[in-house]
Amino acid sequence: MLSLKRLRKIRKINLFFEYLIDKDSRNKELYSMLKNNDKDGLNIYFHGKSLDKAKISILSKYDNRMRYVRGGVANLDRQDRYLIYKKDGKYYTGVVYSGDDIKDDKSAVIDILKKGEKHTDHQKSNNGFEYVMTLYKNDLILYIGRDKKEHIGYISEFNIANANFQVNNPLINDKGYNVGSTIWKSIERLDIDILGNVYRNGKNFTKEAAAIIQNELN
């Protein structure tokens, strides 16, 4: 027989999934699978963000900043993705917008953003910067900072003026902090499957990721 504490936990998890998924649509089978899966309670930290990537925001088609996309519209001013570069041992960031016509991130020529720098002073990415990777909002990243410790968080947004990312702790949704790519000693993107398992270089990294995140709160 399940204890009252365990029943409350199960009910909380189910309510969490109900918030994330429209279970009355074609996602019904996915909802049923997810709410019955997470035995050790770790994956709940990562479910939400992995599912968020599938959500699409539909805006007014009469706004001149919009572009028609598959029957809906996309905001041309919206930050679409972030290109990470390296030069002289430091990491830098460039932003690609929805309205940009960029087909190949590796060969893209975009502005490199630096804190306090005027738009007219931005260097271009083809000025000795080496392309490293592309990041998206809600990507889970693992980086080593100035403190030489590992940190894990979800990318929330990029502040153009300060040239830094807002990163959120997966255990506490409203606990965010700002970090600029220039302080990274290393950077990796962790993969998350639909069940919330975290992978690093193809190997399950869920328990290790949860431990790193928990240590940041201590």
Side-chain angles (χ1 to χ4, degrees):
M1 180 178 292
L2 294 174
S3 66
L4 181 60
K5 183 178 180 180
R6 178 60 177 168
L7 287 172
R8 286 175 176 171
K9 182 179 180 181
I10 292 174
R11 183 173 182 274
K12 183 178 180 180
I13 291 174
N14 287 349
L15 289 174
F16 179 82
F17 288 138
E18 287 176 10
Y19 170 77
L20 285 175
I21 304 173
D22 178 9
K23 56 184 180 298
D24 295 323
S25 71
R26 61 183 178 180
N27 293 317
K28 186 174 182 180
E29 291 183 7
L30 176 60
Y31 165 81
S32 298
M33 178 178 62
L34 287 176
K35 77 172 185 177
N36 291 311
N37 179 61
D38 192 15
K39 294 180 181 180
D40 56 12
L42 290 176
N43 296 11
I44 191 172
Y45 302 143
F46 308 106
H47 273 305
K49 297 301 180 181
S50 62
L51 291 172
D52 279 349
K53 294 181 183 179
K55 295 182 179 179
I56 299 175
S57 176
I58 300 299
L59 305 171
S60 171
K61 67 175 67 176
Y62 302 105
D63 193 318
N64 60 13
R65 295 172 302 164
M66 306 303 168
R67 172 183 293 169
Y68 285 94
V69 179
R70 298 191 184 105
V73 288
N75 186 346
L76 300 184
D77 294 331
R78 182 178 62 83
Q79 294 180 1
D80 183 68
R81 59 194 186 274
Y82 312 104
L83 307 191
I84 308 301
Y85 297 88
K86 194 172 186 179
K87 183 178 182 180
D88 298 330
K90 286 189 176 182
Y91 291 93
Y92 297 91
T93 304
V95 177
V96 176
Y97 294 88
S98 296
D100 293 338
D101 186 19
I102 294 177
K103 297 180 175 62
D104 181 16
D105 290 351
K106 293 182 179 180
S107 60
V109 179
I110 61 175
D111 288 345
I112 299 297
L113 304 177
K114 297 181 181 179
K115 183 178 180 179
E117 190 174 74
K118 295 181 180 179
H119 174 73
T120 53
D121 295 332
H122 291 332
Q123 295 186 64
K124 293 295 183 179
S125 56
N126 61 350
N127 187 19
F129 292 87
E130 178 188 0
Y131 170 82
V132 177
M133 66 174 65
T134 298
L135 296 175
Y136 292 83
K137 182 177 180 180
N138 293 327
D139 270 350
L140 186 67
I141 61 171
L142 166 65
Y143 69 90
I144 296 178
R146 285 176 178 159
D147 57 5
K148 298 182 180 179
K149 295 181 179 180
E150 291 182 319
H151 300 270
I152 289 180
Y154 287 111
I155 290 177
S156 175
E157 59 184 16
F158 187 82
N159 185 301
I160 300 295
N162 295 324
N164 58 32
F165 288 99
Q166 179 177 325
V167 178
N168 291 334
N169 188 301
L171 300 187
I172 305 178
N173 290 332
D174 59 354
K175 186 176 178 59
Y177 59 92
N178 297 321
V179 59
S181 54
T182 54
I183 74 156
W184 293 340
K185 302 301 181 185
S186 66
I187 173 68
E188 298 176 52
R189 182 182 59 249
L190 300 177
D191 297 317
I192 311 173
D193 66 20
I194 195 65
L195 298 179
N197 296 300
V198 180
Y199 295 88
R200 183 183 188 184
N201 298 323
K203 297 181 179 180
N204 196 302
F205 193 66
T206 308
K207 291 183 179 180
E208 293 85 349
I212 293 171
I213 295 164
Q214 185 62 55
N215 287 338
E216 293 190 70
L217 299 177
N218 296 334

PDB file of all heavy atoms in Angstrom, residues 19-35:
ATOM      1  N   TYR A  19      -0.271  20.273 -16.597  1.00  0.00           N
ATOM      2  CA  TYR A  19      -0.011  21.667 -16.956  1.00  0.00           C
ATOM      3  C   TYR A  19       0.794  21.765 -18.250  1.00  0.00           C
ATOM      4  O   TYR A  19       0.583  22.647 -19.069  1.00  0.00           O
ATOM      5  CB  TYR A  19       0.753  22.353 -15.817  1.00  0.00           C
ATOM      6  CG  TYR A  19       1.282  23.718 -16.171  1.00  0.00           C
ATOM      7  CD1 TYR A  19       0.439  24.827 -16.209  1.00  0.00           C
ATOM      8  CD2 TYR A  19       2.634  23.899 -16.486  1.00  0.00           C
ATOM      9  CE1 TYR A  19       0.925  26.072 -16.545  1.00  0.00           C
ATOM     10  CE2 TYR A  19       3.117  25.141 -16.819  1.00  0.00           C
ATOM     11  CZ  TYR A  19       2.257  26.224 -16.847  1.00  0.00           C
ATOM     12  OH  TYR A  19       2.745  27.459 -17.178  1.00  0.00           O
ATOM     13  N   LEU A  20       1.728  20.842 -18.446  1.00  0.00           N
ATOM     14  CA  LEU A  20       2.625  20.909 -19.595  1.00  0.00           C
ATOM     15  C   LEU A  20       1.977  20.448 -20.899  1.00  0.00           C
ATOM     16  O   LEU A  20       2.292  20.932 -21.968  1.00  0.00           O
ATOM     17  CB  LEU A  20       3.859  20.033 -19.350  1.00  0.00           C
ATOM     18  CG  LEU A  20       4.905  20.581 -18.384  1.00  0.00           C
ATOM     19  CD1 LEU A  20       5.984  19.535 -18.176  1.00  0.00           C
ATOM     20  CD2 LEU A  20       5.519  21.856 -18.912  1.00  0.00           C
ATOM     21  N   ILE A  21       1.077  19.489 -20.816  1.00  0.00           N
ATOM     22  CA  ILE A  21       0.609  18.818 -22.025  1.00  0.00           C
ATOM     23  C   ILE A  21      -0.903  18.947 -22.184  1.00  0.00           C
ATOM     24  O   ILE A  21      -1.665  18.787 -21.231  1.00  0.00           O
ATOM     25  CB  ILE A  21       0.982  17.324 -21.991  1.00  0.00           C
ATOM     26  CG1 ILE A  21       2.500  17.184 -21.807  1.00  0.00           C
ATOM     27  CG2 ILE A  21       0.534  16.601 -23.238  1.00  0.00           C
ATOM     28  CD1 ILE A  21       2.937  15.778 -21.586  1.00  0.00           C
ATOM     29  N   ASP A  22      -1.320  19.246 -23.380  1.00  0.00           N
ATOM     30  CA  ASP A  22      -2.743  19.243 -23.703  1.00  0.00           C
ATOM     31  C   ASP A  22      -3.146  17.792 -23.927  1.00  0.00           C
ATOM     32  O   ASP A  22      -3.078  17.266 -25.025  1.00  0.00           O
ATOM     33  CB  ASP A  22      -2.986  20.075 -24.967  1.00  0.00           C
ATOM     34  CG  ASP A  22      -4.455  20.073 -25.372  1.00  0.00           C
ATOM     35  OD1 ASP A  22      -5.275  19.568 -24.579  1.00  0.00           O
ATOM     36  OD2 ASP A  22      -4.769  20.565 -26.468  1.00  0.00           O
ATOM     37  N   LYS A  23      -3.581  17.137 -22.874  1.00  0.00           N
ATOM     38  CA  LYS A  23      -3.816  15.691 -22.923  1.00  0.00           C
ATOM     39  C   LYS A  23      -5.064  15.322 -23.712  1.00  0.00           C
ATOM     40  O   LYS A  23      -5.319  14.143 -23.944  1.00  0.00           O
ATOM     41  CB  LYS A  23      -3.931  15.138 -21.496  1.00  0.00           C
ATOM     42  CG  LYS A  23      -4.991  15.786 -20.636  1.00  0.00           C
ATOM     43  CD  LYS A  23      -4.936  15.209 -19.232  1.00  0.00           C
ATOM     44  CE  LYS A  23      -5.984  15.844 -18.324  1.00  0.00           C
ATOM     45  NZ  LYS A  23      -5.769  17.294 -18.161  1.00  0.00           N
ATOM     46  N   ASP A  24      -5.855  16.329 -24.116  1.00  0.00           N
ATOM     47  CA  ASP A  24      -7.050  16.026 -24.902  1.00  0.00           C
ATOM     48  C   ASP A  24      -6.783  16.111 -26.402  1.00  0.00           C
ATOM     49  O   ASP A  24      -7.676  15.946 -27.199  1.00  0.00           O
ATOM     50  CB  ASP A  24      -8.177  17.002 -24.522  1.00  0.00           C
ATOM     51  CG  ASP A  24      -8.617  16.801 -23.081  1.00  0.00           C
ATOM     52  OD1 ASP A  24      -8.642  15.637 -22.652  1.00  0.00           O
ATOM     53  OD2 ASP A  24      -8.920  17.789 -22.402  1.00  0.00           O
ATOM     54  N   SER A  25      -5.543  16.381 -26.776  1.00  0.00           N
ATOM     55  CA  SER A  25      -5.191  16.464 -28.193  1.00  0.00           C
ATOM     56  C   SER A  25      -4.429  15.217 -28.610  1.00  0.00           C
ATOM     57  O   SER A  25      -4.498  14.183 -27.975  1.00  0.00           O
ATOM     58  CB  SER A  25      -4.340  17.719 -28.433  1.00  0.00           C
ATOM     59  OG  SER A  25      -3.070  17.528 -27.859  1.00  0.00           O
ATOM     60  N   ARG A  26      -3.635  15.342 -29.676  1.00  0.00           N
ATOM     61  CA  ARG A  26      -2.858  14.205 -30.157  1.00  0.00           C
ATOM     62  C   ARG A  26      -1.743  13.828 -29.182  1.00  0.00           C
ATOM     63  O   ARG A  26      -1.073  12.827 -29.365  1.00  0.00           O
ATOM     64  CB  ARG A  26      -2.243  14.533 -31.524  1.00  0.00           C
ATOM     65  CG  ARG A  26      -1.298  15.722 -31.498  1.00  0.00           C
ATOM     66  CD  ARG A  26      -0.811  16.020 -32.890  1.00  0.00           C
ATOM     67  NE  ARG A  26       0.053  17.185 -32.899  1.00  0.00           N
ATOM     68  CZ  ARG A  26       0.627  17.669 -33.996  1.00  0.00           C
ATOM     69  NH1 ARG A  26       0.395  17.076 -35.153  1.00  0.00           N
ATOM     70  NH2 ARG A  26       1.387  18.734 -33.931  1.00  0.00           N
ATOM     71  N   ASN A  27      -1.557  14.650 -28.115  1.00  0.00           N
ATOM     72  CA  ASN A  27      -0.534  14.353 -27.123  1.00  0.00           C
ATOM     73  C   ASN A  27      -1.037  13.433 -26.017  1.00  0.00           C
ATOM     74  O   ASN A  27      -0.331  13.209 -25.035  1.00  0.00           O
ATOM     75  CB  ASN A  27      -0.026  15.654 -26.475  1.00  0.00           C
ATOM     76  CG  ASN A  27       0.724  16.523 -27.462  1.00  0.00           C
ATOM     77  OD1 ASN A  27       1.527  16.014 -28.228  1.00  0.00           O
ATOM     78  ND2 ASN A  27       0.448  17.807 -27.445  1.00  0.00           N
ATOM     79  N   LYS A  28      -2.217  12.889 -26.145  1.00  0.00           N
ATOM     80  CA  LYS A  28      -2.805  12.092 -25.073  1.00  0.00           C
ATOM     81  C   LYS A  28      -1.932  10.898 -24.713  1.00  0.00           C
ATOM     82  O   LYS A  28      -1.711  10.607 -23.534  1.00  0.00           O
ATOM     83  CB  LYS A  28      -4.197  11.619 -25.488  1.00  0.00           C
ATOM     84  CG  LYS A  28      -4.944  10.900 -24.375  1.00  0.00           C
ATOM     85  CD  LYS A  28      -6.370  10.580 -24.800  1.00  0.00           C
ATOM     86  CE  LYS A  28      -7.124   9.898 -23.673  1.00  0.00           C
ATOM     87  NZ  LYS A  28      -8.514   9.590 -24.076  1.00  0.00           N
ATOM     88  N   GLU A  29      -1.420  10.185 -25.716  1.00  0.00           N
ATOM     89  CA  GLU A  29      -0.595   9.012 -25.438  1.00  0.00           C
ATOM     90  C   GLU A  29       0.723   9.423 -24.780  1.00  0.00           C
ATOM     91  O   GLU A  29       1.226   8.749 -23.874  1.00  0.00           O
ATOM     92  CB  GLU A  29      -0.313   8.244 -26.737  1.00  0.00           C
ATOM     93  CG  GLU A  29      -1.556   7.556 -27.306  1.00  0.00           C
ATOM     94  CD  GLU A  29      -1.224   6.747 -28.540  1.00  0.00           C
ATOM     95  OE1 GLU A  29      -0.020   6.629 -28.853  1.00  0.00           O
ATOM     96  OE2 GLU A  29      -2.153   6.240 -29.176  1.00  0.00           O
ATOM     97  N   LEU A  30       1.287  10.537 -25.210  1.00  0.00           N
ATOM     98  CA  LEU A  30       2.521  11.033 -24.623  1.00  0.00           C
ATOM     99  C   LEU A  30       2.307  11.389 -23.155  1.00  0.00           C
ATOM    100  O   LEU A  30       3.128  11.075 -22.297  1.00  0.00           O
ATOM    101  CB  LEU A  30       3.009  12.261 -25.391  1.00  0.00           C
ATOM    102  CG  LEU A  30       4.251  12.973 -24.849  1.00  0.00           C
ATOM    103  CD1 LEU A  30       5.433  12.021 -24.824  1.00  0.00           C
ATOM    104  CD2 LEU A  30       4.567  14.193 -25.690  1.00  0.00           C
ATOM    105  N   TYR A  31       1.186  12.037 -22.867  1.00  0.00           N
ATOM    106  CA  TYR A  31       0.863  12.404 -21.491  1.00  0.00           C
ATOM    107  C   TYR A  31       0.787  11.165 -20.603  1.00  0.00           C
ATOM    108  O   TYR A  31       1.366  11.119 -19.522  1.00  0.00           O
ATOM    109  CB  TYR A  31      -0.470  13.155 -21.474  1.00  0.00           C
ATOM    110  CG  TYR A  31      -1.082  13.282 -20.091  1.00  0.00           C
ATOM    111  CD1 TYR A  31      -0.642  14.280 -19.217  1.00  0.00           C
ATOM    112  CD2 TYR A  31      -2.077  12.419 -19.668  1.00  0.00           C
ATOM    113  CE1 TYR A  31      -1.188  14.396 -17.960  1.00  0.00           C
ATOM    114  CE2 TYR A  31      -2.628  12.527 -18.403  1.00  0.00           C
ATOM    115  CZ  TYR A  31      -2.185  13.514 -17.553  1.00  0.00           C
ATOM    116  OH  TYR A  31      -2.719  13.630 -16.302  1.00  0.00           O
ATOM    117  N   SER A  32       0.096  10.141 -21.069  1.00  0.00           N
ATOM    118  CA  SER A  32      -0.061   8.921 -20.283  1.00  0.00           C
ATOM    119  C   SER A  32       1.281   8.242 -20.031  1.00  0.00           C
ATOM    120  O   SER A  32       1.533   7.724 -18.943  1.00  0.00           O
ATOM    121  CB  SER A  32      -0.997   7.947 -21.008  1.00  0.00           C
ATOM    122  OG  SER A  32      -2.284   8.511 -21.158  1.00  0.00           O
ATOM    123  N   MET A  33       2.152   8.266 -21.036  1.00  0.00           N
ATOM    124  CA  MET A  33       3.455   7.639 -20.900  1.00  0.00           C
ATOM    125  C   MET A  33       4.322   8.385 -19.890  1.00  0.00           C
ATOM    126  O   MET A  33       4.955   7.786 -19.026  1.00  0.00           O
ATOM    127  CB  MET A  33       4.160   7.615 -22.258  1.00  0.00           C
ATOM    128  CG  MET A  33       5.570   7.026 -22.218  1.00  0.00           C
ATOM    129  SD  MET A  33       6.320   6.977 -23.859  1.00  0.00           S
ATOM    130  CE  MET A  33       6.371   8.721 -24.260  1.00  0.00           C
ATOM    131  N   LEU A  34       4.323   9.711 -19.962  1.00  0.00           N
ATOM    132  CA  LEU A  34       5.183  10.497 -19.092  1.00  0.00           C
ATOM    133  C   LEU A  34       4.766  10.427 -17.632  1.00  0.00           C
ATOM    134  O   LEU A  34       5.598  10.269 -16.748  1.00  0.00           O
ATOM    135  CB  LEU A  34       5.177  11.958 -19.548  1.00  0.00           C
ATOM    136  CG  LEU A  34       5.923  12.280 -20.830  1.00  0.00           C
ATOM    137  CD1 LEU A  34       5.734  13.744 -21.182  1.00  0.00           C
ATOM    138  CD2 LEU A  34       7.392  11.962 -20.687  1.00  0.00           C
ATOM    139  N   LYS A  35       3.497  10.514 -17.365  1.00  0.00           N
ATOM    140  CA  LYS A  35       3.066  10.582 -15.970  1.00  0.00           C
ATOM    141  C   LYS A  35       3.258   9.257 -15.243  1.00  0.00           C
ATOM    142  O   LYS A  35       3.260   9.210 -14.022  1.00  0.00           O
ATOM    143  CB  LYS A  35       1.600  11.025 -15.886  1.00  0.00           C
ATOM    144  CG  LYS A  35       0.581   9.951 -16.227  1.00  0.00           C
ATOM    145  CD  LYS A  35      -0.822  10.459 -15.919  1.00  0.00           C
ATOM    146  CE  LYS A  35      -1.861   9.376 -16.138  1.00  0.00           C
ATOM    147  NZ  LYS A  35      -3.207   9.815 -15.777  1.00  0.00           N
TER     148      LYS A  35
END
